[in-house]
Amino acid sequence: MNHKFITIGEIMLRLTPPDYEKIRTATTFEARYGGSEANVALSLANLGIDTSFFTVVPENSLGKSAVRMMRSNDVNCDSVVYSTEEETPTHRLGVYYLETGYGIRPSKVIYDRKHSAFSEYDFSQTDIKKLLAGYTWLHVSGITLALGTKCRQLIMACLKIAKENKMTVSFDGNFRSSLWSWEEARDFCTLCLPYVDVLFGIEPYHIWKDEENHHAGDVKDDIPLRPDIKQQEKVFEAIVNRYPNIKCIARHVRFAHSCSENSLLAYFWLNGKIYESKRLTFHILDRVGGGDAFVSGIIYGLMNRYTPEDIVNFGVAASAVKHTIHGDGNITDDVSLIRHVMEMNLDIKR
C-alpha cells in the first residue's frame, strides 16, 4: 500500500543559547521550529513518505515561517489554518526555550506556550471528515490532548472518524508534566486506546490488574524503568489483552551514561511475539526529538513491511541518528544511512 500520512499538533518556535550556554546568561538565541507531531511529519517526509501536517498558527511572520520550514522539508501543509486575531485573541505562536546540557549538566526546557493560536482556536467548525479524507494513516500524541478541552475534543473526533475510515491510527502518550498531571494524562489517554492500532510507549495509560478493583493497582506498577524482555512482554500482553484492537506496540529504553552520551534499545510487540533491538551507544549533539525520530522510524518500517527485527532496529537507529543533528526533526533523507547505523556499519561512506 502507498500510504498517505497525516498528523495533528502544535508547532512552536524553539530558542536555544549557542555553545551550551545557560539561558540566564545568554545574549543570543538560535531560532528553530519543532513540536512532537511536526517532528514525526518532517522525519517521514524526508524519508519519502507522502506526509501532511494539520495545525493552527497565527497569521503573522512567525506562523508563516514555521509553516515554511515544514514545506521546505516536503511536508504538505495545505490544511494549515492561519488564524486571525478574532479567532485566536492572544494571536501568538507557542515558544519553548532549550538549554542544552553537557557532560553531567542535563538539558532544560522552559515552555512559553499558554494561549497559543493552536490552543485558543475553536475546532468545532473544522470539517474533520474532509480533513482526513484520502489519508491512510493518522498519528496523534498526548501532548495535544494536554493543551486543553478544545484540543481534546478535536483529537477524540479525529480518532473516531479515522476508525470509521479504516485508517491506521498510531498514538504516542508523550507525557509532559508541565502541561497536566499524571492522573489527568492517564485518565484521558486511556480513553484513546480503543481507537489505536500502533501504540508507542506504555504510559500514561491505566492497565488495571483488576478492572473491578482499581485498588489492586496497575500492571505496570511492578515493572522497573529499564525492564528486561520478559518484564516488558508481560506489560505488552496485558495491554493487548485489554485492547485487542492494538496490533503492535513499540517503546525505547534509554541508558544515560552522561548528559552527552546515551544508549538506546527498544522492544517491539507484533503478532503475539516480542522483539528486542540491538543496543546503540552514541554521543549527543541534540537530544530533543529523539523519541519522535524513533516513532517515525517504526512507522516507516511498518509502512515498508520490514521484518519485525528490522523495524525495531530501524527505529532505534533513526533515533540515534537524530541525536547527532541540530534541531527537533530528523532531517535525514538517506534510508541507507539509517540502515548502516542499524547494522553498526560506521565506516566513512564514499
Side-chain angles (χ1 to χ4, degrees):
M1 176 183 288
N2 291 321
H3 280 281
K4 288 193 67 177
F5 175 94
I6 186 170
T7 186
I8 297 167
E10 181 174 27
I11 188 166
M12 294 178 291
L13 171 65
R14 165 180 143 172
L15 297 174
T16 310
D19 301 323
Y20 303 98
E21 191 172 354
K22 291 183 69 62
I23 289 172
R24 69 185 183 87
T25 58
T27 56
T28 59
F29 291 84
E30 295 175 349
R32 299 177 186 270
Y33 296 97
S36 181
E37 299 86 355
N39 298 341
V40 173
L42 182 152
S43 298
L44 285 171
N46 271 284
L47 292 174
I49 300 298
D50 186 342
T51 301
S52 296
F53 178 52
F54 174 70
T55 192
V56 178
V57 297
E59 190 173 14
N60 59 27
S61 294
L62 280 175
K64 291 173 183 176
S65 178
V67 174
R68 177 179 174 274
M69 184 279 294
M70 295 296 288
R71 290 189 190 276
S72 72
N73 281 280
D74 298 324
V75 178
N76 184 316
C77 295
D78 290 350
S79 61
V80 168
V81 174
Y82 296 90
S83 66
T84 65
E85 290 189 47
E86 290 72 30
E87 292 172 315
T88 55
T90 312
H91 205 58
R92 67 187 301 263
L93 189 73
V95 180
Y96 83 91
Y97 298 83
L98 172 66
E99 182 178 286
T100 306
Y102 186 83
I104 59 171
R105 176 167 60 87
S107 296
K108 180 173 71 174
V109 167
I110 298 174
Y111 283 120
D112 179 20
R113 64 193 300 178
K114 284 186 179 180
H115 306 295
S116 65
F118 186 83
S119 61
E120 285 191 341
Y121 190 75
D122 181 3
F123 295 101
S124 62
Q125 301 304 312
T126 303
D127 189 339
I128 296 173
K129 288 187 177 180
K130 180 180 179 181
L131 175 66
L132 299 183
Y135 292 98
T136 64
W137 194 301
L138 169 68
H139 176 73
V140 293
S141 96
I143 293 178
T144 303
L145 297 174
L147 297 180
T149 302
K150 295 175 183 176
C151 294
R152 293 173 201 177
Q153 291 171 344
L154 168 70
I155 295 303
M156 289 305 300
C158 287
L159 290 174
K160 292 172 183 178
I161 290 175
K163 294 317 292 180
E164 290 175 10
N165 293 351
K166 295 181 168 46
M167 297 171 66
T168 299
V169 174
S170 54
F171 186 86
D172 184 357
N174 251 344
F175 175 68
R176 297 291 185 270
S177 60
S178 61
L179 298 178
W180 56 352
S181 72
W182 182 247
E183 284 305 310
E184 281 181 303
R186 271 190 167 185
D187 288 346
F188 206 91
C189 287
T190 303
L191 297 178
C192 300
L193 293 183
Y195 304 97
V196 174
D197 300 292
V198 180
L199 183 66
F200 291 98
I202 60 171
E203 290 288 9
Y205 318 108
H206 291 299
I207 307 296
W208 302 113
K209 294 177 181 177
D210 183 348
E211 289 290 340
E212 304 301 321
N213 177 21
H214 293 178
H215 293 294
D218 191 283
V219 171
K220 304 182 294 299
D221 290 344
D222 306 324
I223 303 300
L225 184 63
R226 299 179 183 87
D228 61 32
I229 191 168
K230 289 297 183 183
Q231 292 167 324
Q232 190 61 75
E233 186 174 32
K234 175 185 174 183
V235 175
F236 284 170
E237 289 180 349
I239 292 173
V240 174
N241 288 338
R242 178 67 183 85
Y243 298 99
N245 52 285
I246 295 176
K247 299 178 179 64
C248 62
I249 311 173
R251 74 163 299 195
H252 67 283
V253 179
R254 183 181 297 272
F255 301 84
H257 312 299
S258 75
C259 298
S260 304
E261 183 183 68
N262 284 187
S263 298
L264 288 179
L265 65 77
Y267 297 112
F268 180 65
W269 187 95
L270 180 69
N271 295 329
K273 187 175 179 181
I274 189 170
Y275 302 86
E276 181 178 356
S277 76
K278 298 173 184 176
R279 179 165 165 170
L280 295 182
T281 300
F282 46 86
H283 292 285
I284 298 171
L285 183 66
D286 190 329
R287 172 174 165 169
V288 177
D292 303 322
F294 172 74
V295 166
S296 62
I298 295 293
I299 291 174
Y300 184 86
L302 287 166
M303 287 181 169
N304 286 278
R305 298 183 180 275
Y306 285 5
T307 65
E309 294 88 350
D310 278 357
I311 291 172
V312 68
N313 282 300
F314 190 85
V316 169
S319 181
V321 169
K322 161 61 202 72
H323 284 75
T324 69
I325 296 171
H326 274 308
D328 277 32
N330 186 3
I331 59 171
T332 305
D333 61 356
D334 184 355
V335 174
S336 65
L337 168 63
I338 298 175
R339 293 193 69 93
H340 279 304
V341 173
M342 179 177 101
E343 293 157 7
M344 299 185 181
N345 178 5
L346 306 179
D347 196 10
I348 188 171
K349 307 299 178 286
R350 303 179 191 265

